Amino acid sequence: MEILNKLRNLDAYPKVNEDFYSRTLSGGVITLVSSIVMIFLFISEFRLFLNAATETKLTVDTSRGDHLRVNFDITFPALACSVLSVDTMDISGEQHYDIRHDIVKKRLDHLGNIIESRADGIGGPKIERPLQRHGGRLDHNETYCGSCYGAEATDDHCCNSCEDVRDAYRKKGWGLTNPDLIDQCKREGYIQKIKDEAGEGCNIHGLLEVSKVAGNFHFAPGKGFHPSNFLVQDLLALSSETYNISHKINKLSFGDEFPGVINPLDGVQWTQPATSGMYQYFIKVVPTIYTDIRGRKIHSNQFSVTEHFREADGYPHPIPGVFFFYDFSPIKVVFTEENVSLLHFLTNICAIVGGVFTVSGIVDALFYHGHRAIKKKMQLGKYT
């Protein structure tokens, strides 16, 4: 009993007899408000406990030799699919022209409605029996071999389609500016197809695989080639009018999507002024790794961008088109999802209950003692 009495003397919360309590209206209101505040804060803290918190960390990007996937969806309301091509090149010297795999083009009318969706390029199917063999006369049993019109790499080089001729010209550094003089192009209806699609628009979407070094990819009329170390597009002589490169970027991202990612070019639209030129986007790509709560890693990228329009007023004249120049940041961002610990959650709950209880007690005391002081002065006739 002596031990129990000593333990009873340690009670920091002595109990007051019910007869000595004085309940007030202000105390009831403060109790109700504080209870609502505690419930609201508890629900908020409980939701944070159930959801994962994301921790951000910056590290140096040491990855080498990787590839980057570019996802795009761009609409050109005044540029026909028949003349629109996609090219890529980088500082390592890797170049790809008129890329067609993993790319879909949709022909659009002047109202933006889809006329046709296709995955192939312009021109007709490859012709297996061209009219001539390098300009010579054919025997009955001779194997057919189309002329490359001076661009043959060897004596046995054959160009059996308009596309073969264009590739041979590109390797020579020549531009195919008069396809109406090429027999294969005439037989495939190459020029007629371009004329049939005049006045149409084009939606082009798909993906590109590029090396993880600085470079660019662009959308331009014609097919690119590189004479004398600068880019040139063929087909520019097909029309005396300037190409309208007005465009809307429906989607542009680098790598896989991850929660919370913001692509600054999504929904961006630009209308070409009266002058022709090249529209340029300069992109800084930031490698990003997102690890979710289950430990699954998503390797992706974020990016920032600046824009510039270069008018065709200098020499050499800039190629009309939309160019995306990208470079990589040496810093990598790592996002990691983590659950809030149970101990942290309980600590916050105790802090909420104790904090609200203490603050409400102080407010109640101020109201109570203030009311008593005013009431006493009124009884003494000193309150005015």
Side-chain angles (χ1 to χ4, degrees), residues 31 61 74 89 149 185 224 228 244 266 280-281 289 326 354:
T31 302
D61 184 20
I74 304 178
M89 57 191 68
Y149 296 87
C185 296
S228 304
N244 188 335
D266 288 358
Q280 301 168 312
Y281 294 95
I289 297 179
Y326 57 88

Side-chain angles (χ1 to χ4, degrees), residues 129 131 133 136-144:
R129 294 175 60 87
L131 292 180
R133 175 183 169 85
R137 187 172 180 178
L138 299 172
D139 296 331
H140 179 70
N141 295 324
E142 188 175 2
T143 302
Y144 287 91

Side-chain angles (χ1 to χ4, degrees), residues 103-286:
I103 292 178
V104 175
K105 293 180 180 179
K106 296 179 181 179
R107 294 170 55 194
L108 306 175
D109 60 18
H110 66 285
L111 297 177
N113 300 317
I114 299 176
I115 302 174
E116 178 190 11
S117 179
R118 64 170 184 246
D120 59 333
I122 62 176
K126 183 175 180 179
I127 299 174
E128 298 298 336
R129 294 175 60 87
L131 292 180
Q132 53 191 337
R133 175 183 169 85
H134 292 192
R137 187 172 180 178
L138 299 172
D139 296 331
H140 179 70
N141 295 324
E142 188 175 2
T143 302
Y144 287 91
C145 181
S147 171
C148 296
Y149 296 87
E152 294 86 355
T154 63
D155 292 339
D156 297 330
H157 188 187
C158 301
C159 295
N160 290 351
S161 69
C162 186
E163 194 61 35
D164 291 344
V165 179
R166 293 182 71 193
D167 287 336
Y169 268 54
R170 180 181 58 80
K171 291 177 182 178
K172 287 285 188 179
W174 303 345
L176 184 63
T177 56
N178 293 305
D180 53 338
L181 301 179
I182 305 300
D183 186 68
Q184 290 90 325
C185 296
K186 289 191 295 184
R187 293 186 63 183
E188 294 175 11
Y190 189 91
I191 300 300
Q192 187 60 42
K193 193 172 187 67
I194 294 177
K195 292 179 179 179
D196 292 342
E197 296 186 13
E200 295 180 0
C202 185
N203 171 262
I204 181 170
H205 67 274
L207 59 91
L208 300 170
E209 290 283 347
V210 297
S211 299
K212 197 175 179 181
V213 295
N216 77 83
F217 59 94
H218 55 267
F219 303 83
K223 187 172 183 177
F225 60 97
H226 257 268
S228 304
N229 295 322
F230 62 91
L231 180 65
V232 176
Q233 300 287 127
D234 66 8
L235 294 181
L236 295 182
L238 287 177
S239 173
S240 60
E241 301 179 359
T242 58
Y243 287 98
N244 188 335
I245 59 170
S246 298
H247 60 277
K248 179 181 180 182
I249 303 176
N250 305 306
K251 185 74 175 178
L252 182 68
S253 62
F254 295 84
D256 297 328
E257 298 283 335
F258 63 90
V261 63
I262 298 176
N263 299 314
L265 287 179
D266 288 358
V268 170
Q269 187 169 359
W270 181 80
T271 303
Q272 176 176 313
T275 56
S276 180
M278 172 193 299
Y279 203 86
Q280 301 168 312
Y281 294 95
F282 297 93
I283 297 174
K284 176 67 73 172
V285 180
V286 182

Side-chain angles (χ1 to χ4, degrees), residues 20 28 57 81 96 191 196 220 233 244 352:
F20 298 100
K57 183 172 63 174
C81 290
H96 300 279
I191 300 300
D196 292 342
Q233 300 287 127
N244 188 335
I352 289 172

